[in-house]
Structure formats: C-alpha cells, structure tokens
Amino acid sequence: MNPDRDRLLHEMGLGPLWKLRAAPMPAEVPYPSSIVDAPATTPLPGTAAAAQGADWESLAAAVSDCRKCRLCSARKQAVFGVGDVNADWLFVGEGPGSEEDQRGEPFVGQAGKLLDNMLAAIGLRRGSDVYIANAVKCRPPENRTPEVEEMEACRPFLERQIDLIRPKLIVALGRPAAQTLLKAEVKIAAARGRLHEYLGIPLIVTYHPAYLLRNLPDKSKAWEDLCFMRREMGKLKGR
Ligand code: URA
Ligand code: SF4
C-alpha cells in the first residue's frame, strides 16, 4: 500500500486504527402491530401536495407535522436535514437512527462520525457548503431499512429540498438513497464510480458509512469514491 494513501485513510478514520463498530444490522424486524397505524397499502396522498411550491420553512414545518406514513408512529421527532441551504454538495442517507431521532439531526451517531471524517478528507465540513438529508425523515423502528412505500411517501420532501438547495452534486449514501433518487433498482458495487443524474444534477453513488463500519475491505473503495466526487466537483466548479 502506498504510504500517502494509508495516511489519508487513517485521517479519514478509515485506516486500520479505526476501532468503532456499528452494531450489526438486525434482521428485518416486522412492525409491532401496536405502532402500525397505516397499512402499507393505504394510499398516501398529501406529501406531494404539502411539498409542492413550499418554501424552506413551510417544508420543514410540513415534515415535522407529517403523519403520511407509518414511520410517524415510532419517532420522537422528524429529522429534516442539516447544513447550508445554498450548498453545492448534497449528501443523502437512508433514515434517522435512534441518536438522530433523539437529537433531531442527521448522522450524529457512529455512522455520522465516519461521514464527518469522510467529508473532512475532501475538505468539507458539516454546515459549510454541504447539506445532509435522508431518504426518510422519520426513524424506522429497530434501524431497519425503510420500506419502499415509506420512501415513496417521503420522497416529495426530499425532492423539494433538492429543488430549493439546487446542489451542484448529489451523493447518495447507500442503496435506499440511490434507489429513491434514481427511481431504479441499484446495486452499489455496480453503480459506484460513475456519474448518474437526478433531474439534470450529477449524482454519485457510494457506500453508506454504517455499511463501511461493518465492511472494512470496502473502505478503500469509499476512498476512491471520495476522490471521484472531489474531481467531479472540481470540474463542475470549472476549476
Ligand atoms: N444513517 C442514515 O442513513 N442517516 C442518518 O441520519 C443516520 C444514520
Ligand atoms: Fe412523513 Fe416522511 Fe415521516 Fe413518513 S417518514 S411520516 S412521509 S416525514
């Protein structure tokens, strides 16, 4: 391995000294029936209407009051997103975990520490030229993957966030984010390393940080993806 690369991986928290491990993802856990208040087959009108034409504040208010999918039942609060609303970079994760649900901010747990290190490795920091959001705004119980219906219900909010931010580049962290943005079946291994597009905005797919915490060998691929993002943003900014 080349020493520069090793040093950079280490600085990102991706090197061999990175000790944190996320708890293994639990197998898919069915909803306890007591918290299910809307079967998945119920039509979910309303989020599109609430999001359409909304300004930033009314969008945030609509999200915090939203009860358009069953994820509303188990949340403490909806997690709208964090950062610079004029950012060139938009990172989209999957959904809040329990710490995010408690604190009302995306990526503040272990995966968030890794995301912050990844941002730092390409000269970015939370809040400055970066916005961070999720495919679903409310925490899925037991950290399970959001269901397609839940992501569909929540998608108008993400779409309106993108309309208002108008980022130069979108980074989809993990498969659910990539699928909801690209409206297609995505395999990260096949989709990473090339440019996709969301309504004319270049989009790059990479591994979710929580996945990287459990899959050490893929961390060097995440590093390649970060280099790719930085290069593409350089081009987009005309440097
Ligand atoms: N994982 C995500 O996808 N989003 C968060 O906000 C936290 C962890
Ligand atoms: Fe509404 Fe999205 Fe929360 Fe579902 S996840 S209740 S659609 S804000």
Side-chain angles (χ1 to χ4, degrees), residues 139-160:
R139 177 175 78 100
E142 314 293 338
N143 292 340
R144 65 157 173 75
T145 305
E147 306 281 352
V148 172
E149 292 83 0
E150 294 154 1
M151 291 200 292
E152 286 297 305
C154 215
R155 188 154 49 139
F157 294 135
L158 178 62
E159 290 175 344
R160 187 64 187 153

Side-chain angles (χ1 to χ4, degrees), residues 6-61:
D6 278 0
R7 187 179 52 79
L8 284 163
L9 285 171
H10 177 59
E11 281 176 8
M12 284 163 70
L14 295 180
L17 295 184
W18 181 269
K19 286 283 196 319
L20 291 174
R21 297 283 188 281
M25 284 286 202
E28 199 120 311
V29 180
Y31 279 108
S33 55
S34 61
I35 64 163
V36 175
D37 69 353
T41 48
T42 300
L44 297 158
T47 48
Q52 199 173 25
D55 65 15
W56 195 259
E57 261 117 65
S58 49
L59 188 66

Side-chain angles (χ1 to χ4, degrees), residues 195-229:
L195 275 186
H196 304 263
E197 201 186 280
Y198 169 88
L199 296 180
I201 304 172
L203 182 149
I204 289 174
V205 171
T206 189
Y207 296 102
H208 190 287
Y211 167 88
L212 294 173
L213 290 170
R214 305 186 310 269
N215 293 274
L216 305 180
D218 282 332
K219 287 181 174 177
S220 60
K221 294 188 193 146
W223 172 248
E224 288 167 16
D225 293 346
L226 287 166
C227 294
F228 176 48
M229 287 169 211

Side-chain angles (χ1 to χ4, degrees), residues 18 100 106-119 126 132 208-210 213:
W18 181 269
E100 290 77 19
F107 284 102
V108 290
Q110 283 193 355
K113 287 188 192 129
L114 178 51
L115 178 61
D116 285 338
N117 288 340
M118 291 163 73
L119 295 177
R126 183 181 291 247
I132 304 172
H208 190 287
L213 290 170

Side-chain angles (χ1 to χ4, degrees), residues 79 93-97 100 105-109 111-112 133-134 173 208 210:
V79 178
E94 184 174 315
E100 290 77 19
E105 182 172 332
F107 284 102
V108 290
N134 280 309
L173 299 165
H208 190 287

